C-alpha cells in the first residue's frame, strides 16, 4: 500500500494543483455522423471530451454541461514535445463502494518517447491525495463522504511534461444493501390469449398491461378479446395495490395502418381518444400503454406526438397514467419525438428481438438505455424491457426450464437464446442504477416456482439475497459457493485490456468485477459485455 504523503498538504492548501494540457495525440476528431457510446473519447476544437452515453450529432462543445451527454476533460496540448500518457485502471466508472471500505486506485503510465516517468498524482474531487513514483502506480483510499466522487490520475515525466487521465465517477454508499429508489417500477405485460390470472405474483409487480386492445381506422375500437379475463385481472391486481393499464396496438402482424389513418386527422384522434377514455373509465382501469408499432420518422411521428399529447391531457385530468412501448433503438426510434417524453409517465424500452442469436444481450440493454437517455429521456421515465422467451425457437422460459432445470441459470441451451436468472438479475441491477424500472414481455412465460424470473427481478429490486442459486450447486463434485468456482488466473491478464495478445478460449473462466464468467468461444472482449461470455455467478 502506498502512503498518502501529500494528502495533508493538499487538504490544508499547502500545494497547488496545476492546470495542465491533455495528450490528445491518440484521439480522433469528433464526427457528427458517427455514433459514440459511453466512455468513447474524442478531440474537438482543441479540447478532449468523453461520451457519457449513446450520442450522435450532438456537438461536444455545446452538449458538455453536467446534465448533457459529453464530459469535457480539458484542453489539448499543442503539437510539440510528446507528453506522457496515463490511464486509470481502477476503480470502475459508476461503481459503488461502501463507506470506510478500501478502494484501490491504480493507473498505468508511459511515454511515447520512453522519457522516464517521475511520478503519478492521484486525485479525489480535484485534491491530490497521494503521489507514487514507482510502478505499479497505485494507492488505496478509504471511502469517505457519502455520494459521488471524481477520481483522476496525473502523470509527470522527467522533463516535467504533464498529462491527465480521464475522470471516473464513483458513489460511496452507507452499506452493501442498495435501497431501491422511490417509485421504481416493475411492469409486466399479460396477454388475453394465454396465462391464468391466478398464477400472477401480484406482490412482485407495480404495473400490469393487459394486451391488446386494437383500434379501427376511424378511431373506433375492436371488441376486446377475453374481456372477462381482463375484469378478473383488474379486480385481483387492484386489491393487491397493482395498477392495470390497457395496452393498445401491439405487433399485430406489422399492420399499424389503423393508427396511421386515424392519427392523421384531428377528428380521427378525437374519436379514438373519446372511445378509449370511455373504455378506461367503464372498466376502472388505471391507465393506457400505447403500443403503436411503429410510427416512422416524419409525418407519422408528428401525428403520434399530437395523439400522445391530446391523450395525456385527458388521462391526467382523470388521474390515469400514460405510458408507451417503444423500439429499443435505431431508425424507428425517431418516430417518437422528444416532445412525447413530457407527455408520458414512462417509456417501456423493448430491448429484445435484436436478432435470433443472443437477441437480448446485456450490451443491447445498455445501448437501449443510452439511446433514449441520450435523446433526453429522464432516468425516472426509462423502464428497461427484458424477454421471458427465447429466439429463434419462440419458447416460453417456463418451457425451457421444464425441459432442463439447468436452463434457468444460462442464456442458451444451444438452440434457444433467452435471458436466464443471472442475466435478469444483472439487468435489474442495471435498471436500479440507470433507469426507473424494469418491464417484461410477458408474465405467462414465467414459472411459478423458485426459478421464477419475476422473483429474481423483485429480489434484486428489494436488496434481498437470491433464493435460487446459480452457482453450480446440485452435484456432489460441484462447488456450492461462487468464490470457490475454479478459474486459472495465470492464463489471463487483468481485464479489460488483454495486452500482449492474451485471450480466453471457449470454456475458460475468469473473475471480473466480483463475478465469474465463462467464455462461449475465443474472445478478447470484456467479460459480460457481449455474447462471447456467459455469466456464471456473483460473489
Amino acid at each position: 500500500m502506498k502512503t498518502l504523503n501529500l494528502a495533508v498538504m493538499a487538504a490544508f492548501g499547502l500545494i497547488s494543483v496545476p492546470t495542465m494540457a491533455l495528450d490528445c495525440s491518440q484521439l480522433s476528431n469528433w464526427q457528427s455522423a458517427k455514433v459514440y457510446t459511453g466512455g468513447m473519447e474524442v478531440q474537438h476544437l482543441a479540447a478532449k471530451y468523453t461520451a457519457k452515453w449513446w450520442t450522435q450529432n450532438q456537438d461536444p462543445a455545446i452538449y458538455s454541461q453536467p446534465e448533457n451527454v459529453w464530459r469535457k476533460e480539458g484542453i489539448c496540448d499543442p503539437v510539440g514535445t510528446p507528453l506522457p500518457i496515463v490511464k486509470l485502471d481502477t476503480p470502475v466508472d459508476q461503481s459503488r463502494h461502501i463507506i470506510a471500505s478500501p478502494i484501490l486506485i491504480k493507473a498505468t503510465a508511459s511515454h511515447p518517447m520512453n522519457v522516464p516517468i517521475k511520478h503519478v498524482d492521484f486525485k479525489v474531487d480535484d485534491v491530490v491525495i497521494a503521489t507514487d513514483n514507482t510502478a505499479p502506480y497505485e494507492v488505496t483510499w478509504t471511502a469517505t463522504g457519502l455520494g459521488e466522487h471524481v477520481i483522476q490520475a496525473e502523470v509527470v515525466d522527467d522533463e516535467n511534461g504533464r498529462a491527465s487521465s480521464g475522470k471516473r465517477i464513483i458513489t460511496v454508499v452507507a452499506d452493501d444493501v442498495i435501497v431501491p429508489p422511490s417509485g421504481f417500477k416493475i411492469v409486466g405485460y399479460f396477454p388475453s390469449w394465454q396465462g391464468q390470472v391466478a398464477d400472477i405474483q401480484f406482490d412482485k409487480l407495480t404495473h400490469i398491461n393487459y394486451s391488446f386492445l386494437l383500434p379501427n381506422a376511424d378511431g373506433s375500437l375492436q371488441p376486446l378479446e377475453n374481456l372477462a379475463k381482463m375484469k378478473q385481472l383488474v379486480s385481483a391486481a387492484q386489491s393487491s395495490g397493482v395498477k392495470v393499464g390497457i395496452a393498445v396496438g401491439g405487433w399485430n402482424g406489422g399492420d399499424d395502418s389503423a393508427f396511421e389513418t386515424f392519427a392523421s386527422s384531428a377528428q380521427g384522434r378525437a374519436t379514438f381518444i373519446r372511445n378509449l377514455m370511455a373504455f378506461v373509465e367503464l372498466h376502472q382501469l388505471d391507465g393506457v400503454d400505447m403500443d403503436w408499432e411503429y410510427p416512422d420518422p416524419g409525418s407519422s411521428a408528428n401525428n403520434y406526438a399530437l395523439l400522445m399529447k391530446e391523450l395525456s391531457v385527458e388521462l391526467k385530468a382523470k388521474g390515469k397514467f400514460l405510458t408507451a412501448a417503444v423500439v429499443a433503438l435505431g431508425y424507428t426510434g425517431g418516430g417518437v419525438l422528444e416532445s412525447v417524453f413530457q407527455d408520458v409517465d414512462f417509456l417501456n424500452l423493448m430491448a429484445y428481438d435484436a436478432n435470433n442469436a443472443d437477441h437480448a444481450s446485456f450490451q443491447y440493454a445498455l445501448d437501449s438505455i443510452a439511446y433514449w437517455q441520450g435523446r433526453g429521456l429522464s432516468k425516472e421515465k426509462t423502464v428497461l424491457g427484458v424477454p421471458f422467451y427465447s429466439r429463434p425457437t419462440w419458447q416460453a422460459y417456463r418451457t425451457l426450464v421444464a425441459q432442463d432445470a439447468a436452463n434457468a441459470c444460462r442464456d442458451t441451451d444451444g438452440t434457444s437464446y433467452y435471458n436466464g436468472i443471472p442475466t435478469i438479475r444483472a439487468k435489474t441491477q442495471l435498471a436500479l442504477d440507470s433507469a426507473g424500472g424494469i418491464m417484461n414481455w410477458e408474465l405467462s412465460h414465467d414459472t411459478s416456482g423458485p426459478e421464477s424470473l419475476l422473483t429474481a427481478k423483485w429480489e434484486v429490486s428489494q436488496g434481498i439475497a437470491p433464493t435460487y442459486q446459480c452457482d453450480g450447486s446440485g452435484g456432489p463434485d460441484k462447488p456450492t459457493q461462487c468464490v470457490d468456482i475454479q478459474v486459472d488466473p495465470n492464463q489471463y491478464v487483468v481485464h479489460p485490456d488483454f495486452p500482449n495478445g492474451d485471450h480466453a478460449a471457449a470454456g475458460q473462466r475468469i473473475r471480473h468485477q466480483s463475478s465469474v464468467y465463462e467464455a462461449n468461444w475465443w474472445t478478447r472482449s470484456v467479460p459480460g459485455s457481449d455474447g462471447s461470455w456467459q455469466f456464471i455467478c456473483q460473489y
Side-chain angles (χ1 to χ4, degrees):
M1 182 182 298
K2 303 298 169 68
T3 58
L4 309 185
N5 55 332
L6 293 185
V8 175
M9 290 188 291
F12 285 92
L14 300 179
I15 60 173
S16 60
V17 180
T19 300
M20 63 184 67
L22 302 178
D23 178 16
C24 300
S25 61
Q26 304 299 314
L27 299 180
S28 300
N29 290 322
W30 173 73
Q31 302 175 43
S32 61
K34 183 176 179 179
V35 171
Y36 297 91
T37 55
M40 295 180 69
E41 299 174 336
V42 298
Q43 179 180 183
H44 182 57
L45 300 179
K48 177 181 177 181
Y49 295 89
T50 301
K52 299 178 186 176
W53 52 78
W54 191 100
T55 178
Q56 184 181 29
N57 199 29
Q58 291 178 297
D59 190 318
I62 299 174
Y63 293 92
S64 57
Q65 295 87 353
E67 70 277 9
N68 280 329
V69 62
W70 290 101
R71 181 169 63 233
K72 186 175 182 179
E73 306 290 5
I75 303 301
C76 294
D77 183 62
V79 176
T81 304
L83 292 174
I85 300 169
V86 62
K87 181 176 70 71
L88 275 175
D89 299 319
T90 62
V92 176
D93 193 36
Q94 303 299 325
S95 56
R96 295 171 181 255
H97 304 267
I98 304 169
I99 194 166
S101 66
I103 301 176
L104 177 65
I105 308 175
K106 185 176 181 180
T108 300
S110 61
H111 197 287
M113 302 300 292
N114 295 320
V115 175
I117 301 299
K118 183 182 292 185
H119 64 257
V120 172
D121 291 334
F122 293 97
K123 300 172 69 175
V124 176
D125 298 328
D126 291 324
V127 174
V128 177
I129 62 162
T131 294
D132 192 354
N133 55 15
T134 58
Y137 303 101
E138 59 184 45
V139 66
T140 299
W141 177 64
T142 300
T144 305
L146 297 176
E148 289 190 347
H149 297 277
V150 179
I151 309 296
Q152 195 171 13
E154 294 177 346
V155 62
V156 180
D157 64 31
D158 274 359
E159 296 178 357
N160 290 321
R162 293 172 175 265
S164 177
S165 71
K167 297 177 181 178
R168 300 281 177 89
I169 308 299
I170 67 168
T171 302
V172 175
V173 297
D175 53 47
D176 58 349
V177 176
I178 308 301
V179 178
S182 175
F184 187 79
K185 296 162 281 289
I186 303 181
V187 184
Y189 284 83
F190 190 62
S192 62
W193 59 89
Q194 62 188 12
Q196 301 297 318
V197 172
D199 293 335
I200 298 176
Q201 302 178 73
F202 291 105
D203 59 331
K204 298 178 176 65
L205 292 157
T206 61
H207 297 72
I208 299 176
N209 291 322
Y210 190 74
S211 310
F212 291 102
L213 180 64
L214 296 175
N216 294 311
D218 62 358
S220 61
L221 302 175
Q222 298 180 24
L224 180 69
E225 181 181 20
N226 213 336
L227 178 61
K229 182 179 176 180
M230 189 193 75
K231 291 180 178 180
Q232 181 187 3
L233 172 67
V234 171
S235 176
Q238 292 179 346
S239 66
S240 300
V242 179
K243 295 182 178 181
V244 179
I246 184 68
V248 183
W251 178 238
N252 195 33
D255 181 8
D256 65 347
S257 59
F259 285 104
E260 294 283 4
T261 301
F262 76 72
S264 65
S265 70
Q267 180 179 351
R269 293 192 299 271
T271 300
F272 171 76
I273 292 171
R274 182 172 61 253
N275 289 324
L276 184 57
M277 289 301 301
F279 182 93
V280 168
E281 294 194 68
L282 174 65
H283 299 295
Q284 300 180 326
L285 294 164
D286 297 295
V288 170
D289 180 72
M290 186 60 66
D291 200 356
W292 177 351
E293 298 185 19
Y294 301 98
D296 294 312
S299 60
S300 178
N302 294 330
N303 294 336
Y304 177 80
L306 289 171
L307 174 64
M308 294 298 282
K309 180 174 291 295
E310 294 163 7
L311 180 57
S312 175
V313 169
E314 297 299 322
L315 286 167
K316 288 179 179 178
K318 299 292 185 179
K320 309 290 186 180
F321 71 74
L322 174 61
T323 62
V326 295
V327 67
L329 46 81
Y331 171 80
T332 313
V336 179
L337 301 180
E338 287 80 359
S339 64
V340 174
F341 301 170
Q342 306 304 314
D343 300 320
V344 297
D345 290 86
F346 54 87
L347 294 182
N348 293 307
L349 315 186
M350 294 187 284
Y352 36 78
D353 294 340
N355 49 51
N356 278 330
D358 197 22
H359 72 101
S361 68
F362 188 82
Q363 185 62 50
Y364 195 52
L366 287 170
D367 292 344
S368 180
I369 291 174
Y371 170 79
W372 287 101
Q373 293 184 354
R375 291 180 53 195
L377 183 66
S378 69
K379 173 182 176 181
E380 293 72 23
K381 291 189 177 184
T382 304
V383 174
L384 174 65
V386 299
F388 280 13
Y389 63 93
S390 68
R391 289 192 66 173
T393 57
W394 298 101
Q395 294 183 90
Y397 168 76
R398 56 180 168 79
T399 301
L400 294 164
V401 172
Q403 292 170 353
D404 184 350
N407 285 337
C409 294
R410 53 196 183 196
D411 291 343
T412 180
D413 62 357
T415 303
S416 305
Y417 296 86
Y418 54 98
N419 284 176
I421 288 175
T423 298
I424 291 295
R425 286 173 179 158
K427 286 186 177 181
T428 305
Q429 187 60 58
L430 172 64
L432 282 170
D433 294 339
S434 305
I438 190 162
M439 170 273 286
N440 79 278
W441 178 267
E442 46 90 350
L443 290 171
S444 76
H445 285 156
D446 197 15
T447 74
S448 57
E451 63 284 298
S452 161
L453 296 180
L454 180 59
T455 296
K457 290 198 297 185
W458 179 76
E459 288 173 342
V460 172
S461 73
Q462 300 300 309
I464 298 173
T467 56
Y468 193 87
Q469 298 299 322
C470 281
D471 57 6
S473 59
D477 59 342
K478 295 183 179 180
T480 57
Q481 299 295 325
C482 189
V483 293
D484 297 327
I485 293 286
Q486 294 299 306
V487 298
D488 185 0
N490 294 325
Q491 297 180 18
Y492 306 98
V493 182
V494 175
H495 283 273
D497 297 323
F498 283 111
N500 305 319
D502 288 358
H503 64 276
Q508 292 182 327
R509 290 180 171 181
I510 186 170
R511 299 190 187 280
H512 179 63
Q513 295 184 359
S514 300
S515 298
V516 174
Y517 293 86
E518 181 177 306
N520 290 323
W521 51 76
W522 188 100
T523 179
R524 294 182 67 186
S525 66
V526 180
S529 66
D530 59 29
S532 66
W533 291 96
Q534 178 184 342
F535 178 92
I536 301 300
C537 59
Q538 187 173 36
Y539 54 92

